[in-house]
PDB file of all heavy atoms in Angstrom:
ATOM      1  N   SER G 374     130.520 187.631 125.518  1.00  0.00           N
ATOM      2  CA  SER G 374     129.603 186.596 126.090  1.00  0.00           C
ATOM      3  C   SER G 374     128.743 185.921 124.974  1.00  0.00           C
ATOM      4  O   SER G 374     128.263 186.614 124.100  1.00  0.00           O
ATOM      5  CB  SER G 374     128.740 187.149 127.218  1.00  0.00           C
ATOM      6  OG  SER G 374     127.943 186.189 127.756  1.00  0.00           O
ATOM      7  N   GLY G 375     128.524 184.689 125.031  1.00  0.00           N
ATOM      8  CA  GLY G 375     127.677 184.003 124.116  1.00  0.00           C
ATOM      9  C   GLY G 375     128.361 183.094 123.119  1.00  0.00           C
ATOM     10  O   GLY G 375     129.575 183.149 122.984  1.00  0.00           O
ATOM     11  N   THR G 376     127.525 182.288 122.471  1.00  0.00           N
ATOM     12  CA  THR G 376     128.009 181.278 121.519  1.00  0.00           C
ATOM     13  C   THR G 376     127.577 181.607 120.129  1.00  0.00           C
ATOM     14  O   THR G 376     126.446 182.097 119.909  1.00  0.00           O
ATOM     15  CB  THR G 376     127.526 179.860 121.958  1.00  0.00           C
ATOM     16  OG1 THR G 376     128.138 179.493 123.167  1.00  0.00           O
ATOM     17  CG2 THR G 376     127.780 178.793 120.842  1.00  0.00           C
ATOM     18  N   ASN G 377     128.404 181.279 119.163  1.00  0.00           N
ATOM     19  CA  ASN G 377     128.120 181.639 117.775  1.00  0.00           C
ATOM     20  C   ASN G 377     126.848 181.027 117.297  1.00  0.00           C
ATOM     21  O   ASN G 377     126.554 179.833 117.519  1.00  0.00           O
ATOM     22  CB  ASN G 377     129.272 181.062 116.929  1.00  0.00           C
ATOM     23  CG  ASN G 377     129.324 181.742 115.566  1.00  0.00           C
ATOM     24  OD1 ASN G 377     129.403 182.941 115.426  1.00  0.00           O
ATOM     25  ND2 ASN G 377     129.335 180.889 114.494  1.00  0.00           N
ATOM     26  N   ARG G 378     125.986 181.827 116.622  1.00  0.00           N
ATOM     27  CA  ARG G 378     124.675 181.330 116.107  1.00  0.00           C
ATOM     28  C   ARG G 378     124.391 182.085 114.789  1.00  0.00           C
ATOM     29  O   ARG G 378     123.699 183.103 114.842  1.00  0.00           O
ATOM     30  CB  ARG G 378     123.582 181.497 117.149  1.00  0.00           C
ATOM     31  CG  ARG G 378     122.272 180.851 116.724  1.00  0.00           C
ATOM     32  CD  ARG G 378     121.174 181.018 117.778  1.00  0.00           C
ATOM     33  NE  ARG G 378     119.903 180.571 117.240  1.00  0.00           N
ATOM     34  CZ  ARG G 378     118.757 181.138 117.486  1.00  0.00           C
ATOM     35  NH1 ARG G 378     118.652 182.201 118.311  1.00  0.00           N
ATOM     36  NH2 ARG G 378     117.637 180.633 116.980  1.00  0.00           N
ATOM     37  N   PRO G 379     124.942 181.642 113.686  1.00  0.00           N
ATOM     38  CA  PRO G 379     124.757 182.441 112.455  1.00  0.00           C
ATOM     39  C   PRO G 379     123.385 182.657 112.004  1.00  0.00           C
ATOM     40  O   PRO G 379     123.073 183.674 111.427  1.00  0.00           O
ATOM     41  CB  PRO G 379     125.567 181.502 111.443  1.00  0.00           C
ATOM     42  CG  PRO G 379     126.483 180.749 112.273  1.00  0.00           C
ATOM     43  CD  PRO G 379     125.817 180.457 113.540  1.00  0.00           C
ATOM     44  N   SER G 380     122.441 181.739 112.295  1.00  0.00           N
ATOM     45  CA  SER G 380     121.093 181.875 111.777  1.00  0.00           C
ATOM     46  C   SER G 380     120.370 183.073 112.309  1.00  0.00           C
ATOM     47  O   SER G 380     119.401 183.498 111.685  1.00  0.00           O
ATOM     48  CB  SER G 380     120.247 180.570 112.127  1.00  0.00           C
ATOM     49  OG  SER G 380     120.261 180.334 113.515  1.00  0.00           O
ATOM     50  N   ASN G 381     120.755 183.635 113.364  1.00  0.00           N
ATOM     51  CA  ASN G 381     120.154 184.877 113.836  1.00  0.00           C
ATOM     52  C   ASN G 381     121.151 186.043 113.957  1.00  0.00           C
ATOM     53  O   ASN G 381     120.808 187.027 114.685  1.00  0.00           O
ATOM     54  CB  ASN G 381     119.405 184.621 115.210  1.00  0.00           C
ATOM     55  CG  ASN G 381     120.352 184.624 116.375  1.00  0.00           C
ATOM     56  OD1 ASN G 381     121.527 184.334 116.238  1.00  0.00           O
ATOM     57  ND2 ASN G 381     119.823 184.904 117.628  1.00  0.00           N
ATOM     58  N   GLY G 382     122.305 185.906 113.290  1.00  0.00           N
ATOM     59  CA  GLY G 382     123.293 187.009 113.236  1.00  0.00           C
ATOM     60  C   GLY G 382     124.071 187.127 114.473  1.00  0.00           C
ATOM     61  O   GLY G 382     124.774 188.165 114.662  1.00  0.00           O
ATOM     62  N   THR G 383     124.144 186.145 115.361  1.00  0.00           N
ATOM     63  CA  THR G 383     125.051 186.125 116.525  1.00  0.00           C
ATOM     64  C   THR G 383     126.333 185.508 116.076  1.00  0.00           C
ATOM     65  O   THR G 383     126.424 184.290 115.997  1.00  0.00           O
ATOM     66  CB  THR G 383     124.424 185.442 117.717  1.00  0.00           C
ATOM     67  OG1 THR G 383     123.182 186.041 118.025  1.00  0.00           O
ATOM     68  CG2 THR G 383     125.327 185.490 118.959  1.00  0.00           C
ATOM     69  N   PHE G 384     127.410 186.336 116.047  1.00  0.00           N
ATOM     70  CA  PHE G 384     128.747 185.816 115.643  1.00  0.00           C
ATOM     71  C   PHE G 384     129.733 185.976 116.799  1.00  0.00           C
ATOM     72  O   PHE G 384     129.882 187.087 117.339  1.00  0.00           O
ATOM     73  CB  PHE G 384     129.183 186.536 114.348  1.00  0.00           C
ATOM     74  CG  PHE G 384     128.330 186.277 113.166  1.00  0.00           C
ATOM     75  CD1 PHE G 384     127.386 187.197 112.735  1.00  0.00           C
ATOM     76  CD2 PHE G 384     128.397 185.080 112.485  1.00  0.00           C
ATOM     77  CE1 PHE G 384     126.561 186.968 111.715  1.00  0.00           C
ATOM     78  CE2 PHE G 384     127.520 184.824 111.386  1.00  0.00           C
ATOM     79  CZ  PHE G 384     126.621 185.762 111.019  1.00  0.00           C
ATOM     80  N   ARG G 385     130.335 184.893 117.144  1.00  0.00           N
ATOM     81  CA  ARG G 385     131.261 184.950 118.252  1.00  0.00           C
ATOM     82  C   ARG G 385     132.534 184.010 117.893  1.00  0.00           C
ATOM     83  O   ARG G 385     132.379 183.040 117.239  1.00  0.00           O
ATOM     84  CB  ARG G 385     130.640 184.374 119.584  1.00  0.00           C
ATOM     85  CG  ARG G 385     129.477 185.135 120.136  1.00  0.00           C
ATOM     86  CD  ARG G 385     129.908 186.463 120.688  1.00  0.00           C
ATOM     87  NE  ARG G 385     128.796 187.183 121.316  1.00  0.00           N
ATOM     88  CZ  ARG G 385     127.964 187.994 120.774  1.00  0.00           C
ATOM     89  NH1 ARG G 385     128.144 188.267 119.407  1.00  0.00           N
ATOM     90  NH2 ARG G 385     127.042 188.587 121.416  1.00  0.00           N
ATOM     91  N   HIS G 386     133.667 184.472 118.371  1.00  0.00           N
ATOM     92  CA  HIS G 386     134.810 183.637 118.217  1.00  0.00           C
ATOM     93  C   HIS G 386     134.855 182.606 119.305  1.00  0.00           C
ATOM     94  O   HIS G 386     134.543 182.897 120.493  1.00  0.00           O
ATOM     95  CB  HIS G 386     136.156 184.482 118.328  1.00  0.00           C
ATOM     96  CG  HIS G 386     137.358 183.646 118.411  1.00  0.00           C
ATOM     97  ND1 HIS G 386     138.003 183.359 119.619  1.00  0.00           N
ATOM     98  CD2 HIS G 386     138.043 182.979 117.486  1.00  0.00           C
ATOM     99  CE1 HIS G 386     139.047 182.587 119.397  1.00  0.00           C
ATOM    100  NE2 HIS G 386     139.120 182.291 118.128  1.00  0.00           N
ATOM    101  N   SER G 387     135.239 181.397 118.921  1.00  0.00           N
ATOM    102  CA  SER G 387     135.369 180.280 119.905  1.00  0.00           C
ATOM    103  C   SER G 387     136.608 179.496 119.683  1.00  0.00           C
ATOM    104  O   SER G 387     136.913 179.080 118.528  1.00  0.00           O
ATOM    105  CB  SER G 387     134.138 179.332 119.739  1.00  0.00           C
ATOM    106  OG  SER G 387     134.378 178.119 120.456  1.00  0.00           O
ATOM    107  N   PRO G 388     137.490 179.329 120.685  1.00  0.00           N
ATOM    108  CA  PRO G 388     138.700 178.597 120.473  1.00  0.00           C
ATOM    109  C   PRO G 388     138.453 177.148 120.103  1.00  0.00           C
ATOM    110  O   PRO G 388     139.333 176.475 119.570  1.00  0.00           O
ATOM    111  CB  PRO G 388     139.429 178.722 121.847  1.00  0.00           C
ATOM    112  CG  PRO G 388     138.369 179.009 122.800  1.00  0.00           C
ATOM    113  CD  PRO G 388     137.350 179.809 122.025  1.00  0.00           C
ATOM    114  N   SER G 389     137.280 176.572 120.428  1.00  0.00           N
ATOM    115  CA  SER G 389     136.932 175.245 120.076  1.00  0.00           C
ATOM    116  C   SER G 389     136.016 175.141 118.828  1.00  0.00           C
ATOM    117  O   SER G 389     135.654 174.068 118.392  1.00  0.00           O
ATOM    118  CB  SER G 389     136.181 174.509 121.252  1.00  0.00           C
ATOM    119  OG  SER G 389     135.021 175.205 121.575  1.00  0.00           O
ATOM    120  N   GLY G 390     135.718 176.308 118.237  1.00  0.00           N
ATOM    121  CA  GLY G 390     134.878 176.302 117.139  1.00  0.00           C
ATOM    122  C   GLY G 390     133.427 175.943 117.349  1.00  0.00           C
ATOM    123  O   GLY G 390     132.680 175.513 116.461  1.00  0.00           O
ATOM    124  N   THR G 391     132.974 176.208 118.595  1.00  0.00           N
ATOM    125  CA  THR G 391     131.588 175.732 118.942  1.00  0.00           C
ATOM    126  C   THR G 391     130.617 176.704 118.342  1.00  0.00           C
ATOM    127  O   THR G 391     130.737 177.899 118.446  1.00  0.00           O
ATOM    128  CB  THR G 391     131.464 175.710 120.531  1.00  0.00           C
ATOM    129  OG1 THR G 391     132.402 174.756 121.011  1.00  0.00           O
ATOM    130  CG2 THR G 391     130.040 175.345 120.954  1.00  0.00           C
ATOM    131  N   THR G 392     129.571 176.141 117.732  1.00  0.00           N
ATOM    132  CA  THR G 392     128.573 176.944 117.046  1.00  0.00           C
ATOM    133  C   THR G 392     127.278 176.179 116.946  1.00  0.00           C
ATOM    134  O   THR G 392     127.144 175.025 116.835  1.00  0.00           O
ATOM    135  CB  THR G 392     129.050 177.305 115.623  1.00  0.00           C
ATOM    136  OG1 THR G 392     128.121 178.151 114.951  1.00  0.00           O
ATOM    137  CG2 THR G 392     129.365 176.091 114.795  1.00  0.00           C
ATOM    138  N   TYR G 393     126.150 176.989 116.929  1.00  0.00           N
ATOM    139  CA  TYR G 393     124.852 176.472 116.524  1.00  0.00           C
ATOM    140  C   TYR G 393     124.838 176.297 115.043  1.00  0.00           C
ATOM    141  O   TYR G 393     125.790 176.691 114.339  1.00  0.00           O
ATOM    142  CB  TYR G 393     123.782 177.464 116.830  1.00  0.00           C
ATOM    143  CG  TYR G 393     123.327 177.596 118.266  1.00  0.00           C
ATOM    144  CD1 TYR G 393     123.985 178.359 119.157  1.00  0.00           C
ATOM    145  CD2 TYR G 393     122.137 176.893 118.759  1.00  0.00           C
ATOM    146  CE1 TYR G 393     123.597 178.458 120.538  1.00  0.00           C
ATOM    147  CE2 TYR G 393     121.770 176.983 120.061  1.00  0.00           C
ATOM    148  CZ  TYR G 393     122.446 177.796 120.868  1.00  0.00           C
ATOM    149  OH  TYR G 393     122.064 177.898 122.277  1.00  0.00           O
ATOM    150  N   ASP G 394     123.769 175.807 114.426  1.00  0.00           N
ATOM    151  CA  ASP G 394     123.563 175.681 113.025  1.00  0.00           C
ATOM    152  C   ASP G 394     124.515 174.646 112.350  1.00  0.00           C
ATOM    153  O   ASP G 394     124.815 174.810 111.170  1.00  0.00           O
ATOM    154  CB  ASP G 394     123.660 177.000 112.365  1.00  0.00           C
ATOM    155  CG  ASP G 394     122.662 178.060 112.932  1.00  0.00           C
ATOM    156  OD1 ASP G 394     121.446 177.775 112.919  1.00  0.00           O
ATOM    157  OD2 ASP G 394     123.108 179.101 113.399  1.00  0.00           O
ATOM    158  N   ALA G 395     124.972 173.700 113.110  1.00  0.00           N
ATOM    159  CA  ALA G 395     125.832 172.693 112.504  1.00  0.00           C
ATOM    160  C   ALA G 395     125.100 171.960 111.386  1.00  0.00           C
ATOM    161  O   ALA G 395     123.875 171.601 111.629  1.00  0.00           O
ATOM    162  CB  ALA G 395     126.331 171.685 113.572  1.00  0.00           C
ATOM    163  N   PHE G 396     125.699 171.809 110.238  1.00  0.00           N
ATOM    164  CA  PHE G 396     125.050 171.203 109.107  1.00  0.00           C
ATOM    165  C   PHE G 396     123.715 171.894 108.718  1.00  0.00           C
ATOM    166  O   PHE G 396     122.825 171.353 108.257  1.00  0.00           O
ATOM    167  CB  PHE G 396     124.846 169.700 109.316  1.00  0.00           C
ATOM    168  CG  PHE G 396     126.023 168.956 109.699  1.00  0.00           C
ATOM    169  CD1 PHE G 396     125.940 167.913 110.579  1.00  0.00           C
ATOM    170  CD2 PHE G 396     127.313 169.324 109.128  1.00  0.00           C
ATOM    171  CE1 PHE G 396     127.109 167.219 110.971  1.00  0.00           C
ATOM    172  CE2 PHE G 396     128.402 168.517 109.557  1.00  0.00           C
ATOM    173  CZ  PHE G 396     128.368 167.515 110.426  1.00  0.00           C
TER     174      PHE G 396
END
Side-chain angles (χ1 to χ4, degrees):
S374 181
T376 293
N377 199 57
R378 189 179 170 217
S380 57
N381 78 338
T383 301
F384 297 100
R385 297 289 186 270
H386 170 262
S387 167
S389 60
T391 299
T392 181
Y393 284 85
D394 303 305
F396 307 144

